Amino acid sequence: MIAAVHTSSVVLVVAVFLASAVEMVEALTIVLAVSVTRGRRAALAGALAAVALLGALVAAVGPALVHVPLSTLRMVIGGLLLVFGLQWLRKAILRAAGLKAKHDEDAIFAEQVAELSGTGDRGAGSAAGTGGSRGSRWLGRIDRAGAVVSFKGVFLEGLEVVVVVLTLGSTSHDVPLAALAAGAAVIVVGAIGALVARQLSGVPENAMKMAVGLMLVSFGTFWSGEGIHVRWPGSDLAIVALVAFYGLSAWAVVRLLAGRRSAGRRSAGRRSAGRQPVPEVEHA
Amino acid sequence: MPERSWPVRWVVAFGRFWVDFLVGDTPELLVGAVVVLGAAAAIAASGSVGASAVAVAFLPLAVLCVLGISLARARSGRR
C-alpha cells in the first residue's frame, strides 16, 4: 500500500513538474522577449502580476474541490485530463514523426521581439509617475504594453499549469504536493532561463511534451475509470502499467508514421525523377 | 456594435479559453473520450460476470483507437 502511494506521488510530481516546465519555457520566451525590447521592469511586473493572480486562483478553487463527491470529481477531472493529455500526445507524436513542425522557441522569440519593437514608445506610463510614493513612481515608469504582453503570456501558459495542478492534485488528494512540483518547475526553468537567456530552443521540448502527454492520458484513463467504477488490478500501480502501455504504443505509432513518411518521400522522389529528369546543368 | 463591459469580456474570454482548451482543432478527441467513457461506464455497470475486467481492457484500447483516429485525420491532411 505504501509502495503504491509512493508510486502515485512520484508519478504525480513528475507529471506536474514536466507539464509546468514545458509551459514555463513557453512563457519565459515571451517574458525574455519583453525584457529585451521593453525593459526588465515591464517583463517582471507583468509576470509577477500573472503569477499572483494564478496563485489566488489555485488558493480559491483548490479547497472548493474537496466538497465535490469523489466519484464525480474523478470522472469529470479524469475526463478532462484524458482529453488534455490526448491533445498533447497527438501533437508530440506528429512532431516526433516529422509530420508537424517542431515548436521553435527561437522563432517565437524573434517574432515577439519584432512585434514589440514596433509597439509605441517605451515607458508609455511615465506621465503617471511624476508624483506620489516611491512605489507608485516605480509602477508609473513601467512600460504598459510590455507589462501587458508579459502578463498575458505568463497568465495564459500558467492557466494550463493551474488546470494540471488542480486536476492531478485533487484526484490524488494532494494539491499542495502538485503545487510544490509546479513551483519547483517555475524556479528551475526561471533559473535556467536567466542563465542561458535566449537559448531556449536547446530544451528538448517535444520529448518533455511526449512524457507529459503519456502521463496525463494515463492519469486520465485511471481516474475516469475509477469515477465510473472500473476496478483497476493493483490499484494505483495500474497507472505505471498504463504509462508503459501508452508509451510503447506511442513509440510504435511514431515509428510507423515516420516509416510511412520516408517511404512516401522516396516513392515521390522516384516518380518525379522518372517523369522529369533534371539536367545536371540546373544544379550548377 | 456597443463595447462590452469588462465582466462580460472576462466571461467571454474565460469561455473561449475552455473551448480552446477542450476542443481546439481536435473535436474528435473530446467526442471520442466522451463516447469511450460512456461505453466503459455501461460495461462496468452491466453487472455481468467479468464486466470490470472487460472495462479494464476496453478503456485503454478504446482511448488508443481515439488517438489513432485523430492521428489518421491529421495525416490525411484534413487539418
Side-chain angles (χ1 to χ4, degrees):
Chain A
M1 181 67 197
I2 291 169
V5 170
H6 281 309
T7 308
S8 173
S9 299
V10 168
V11 179
L12 168 75
V13 167
V14 172
V16 173
F17 184 89
L18 287 179
S20 308
V22 168
E23 298 299 340
M24 265 303 295
V25 167
E26 293 178 14
L28 195 63
T29 308
I30 297 167
V31 173
L32 285 175
V34 171
S35 178
V36 167
T37 50
R38 317 293 291 194
R40 272 188 199 168
R41 194 175 289 162
L44 202 64
L48 285 177
V51 169
L53 191 58
L54 290 167
L57 210 63
V58 174
V61 180
L65 288 174
V66 177
H67 302 292
V68 180
L70 196 60
S71 61
T72 309
L73 192 72
R74 283 177 172 174
M75 190 177 63
V76 173
I77 285 179
L80 274 176
L81 284 176
L82 190 57
V83 174
F84 193 34
L86 281 170
Q87 288 171 354
W88 278 49
L89 195 54
R90 176 185 168 279
K91 274 187 196 163
I93 287 173
L94 289 173
R95 282 180 176 139
L99 295 168
K100 191 177 171 76
K102 289 203 172 163
H103 207 255
D104 188 347
E105 299 301 344
D106 283 344
I108 293 167
F109 180 84
E111 195 182 306
Q112 285 287 337
V113 167
E115 210 170 282
L116 284 162
S117 298
T119 312
D121 294 331
R122 280 175 68 149
S126 57
T130 50
S133 66
R134 201 177 155 191
S136 67
R137 276 202 302 277
W138 190 87
L139 283 172
R141 284 199 300 271
I142 289 171
D143 173 72
R144 283 184 199 155
V148 167
V149 171
S150 176
F151 174 84
K152 279 172 82 173
V154 175
F155 187 74
L156 289 177
E157 301 297 346
L159 211 50
E160 295 197 18
V161 174
V162 167
V163 173
V164 171
V165 166
L166 288 177
T167 49
L168 284 180
S170 58
T171 44
S172 306
H173 300 291
D174 214 341
V175 174
L177 183 65
L180 212 64
V186 169
I187 292 166
V188 169
V189 175
I192 292 171
L195 289 173
V196 302
R198 295 176 215 171
Q199 293 164 345
L200 291 170
S201 55
V203 176
E205 200 178 334
N206 202 51
M208 284 166 74
K209 277 194 168 164
M210 180 80 85
V212 174
L214 287 172
M215 286 184 187
L216 292 182
V217 171
S218 305
F219 266 105
T221 305
F222 181 81
W223 289 123
S224 55
E226 290 261 296
I228 56 177
H229 308 296
V230 170
R231 299 280 159 260
W232 294 102
S235 192
D236 285 2
L237 278 173
I239 295 172
V240 179
L242 285 168
V243 171
F245 169 72
Y246 287 128
L248 281 171
S249 305
W251 174 78
V253 170
V254 168
R255 299 234 354 167
L256 183 77
L257 290 177
R260 278 189 185 177
R261 183 172 170 263
S262 49
R265 278 177 141 185
R266 273 199 302 274
S267 68
R270 273 199 299 273
R271 269 201 306 274
S272 67
R275 283 175 198 160
Q276 297 169 328
V278 183
E280 266 183 51
V281 284
E282 274 191 26
H283 295 290
Chain B
M1 197 172 156
E3 199 173 303
R4 290 169 174 158
S5 60
W6 70 265
V8 177
R9 283 204 306 271
W10 270 82
V11 170
V12 169
F14 190 68
R16 201 169 285 159
F17 167 80
W18 279 102
V19 171
D20 278 349
F21 191 72
L22 289 174
V23 182
D25 55 357
T26 51
E28 72 275 8
L29 291 179
L30 177 65
V31 174
V34 171
V35 170
V36 166
L37 289 179
I43 293 169
S46 68
S48 58
V49 181
S52 189
V54 173
V56 163
F58 169 80
L59 201 48
L61 286 172
V63 166
L64 208 57
C65 286
V66 170
L67 180 64
I69 290 166
S70 185
L71 287 168
R73 283 195 72 195
R75 199 171 166 265
S76 69
R78 282 181 221 183
R79 274 162 293 124

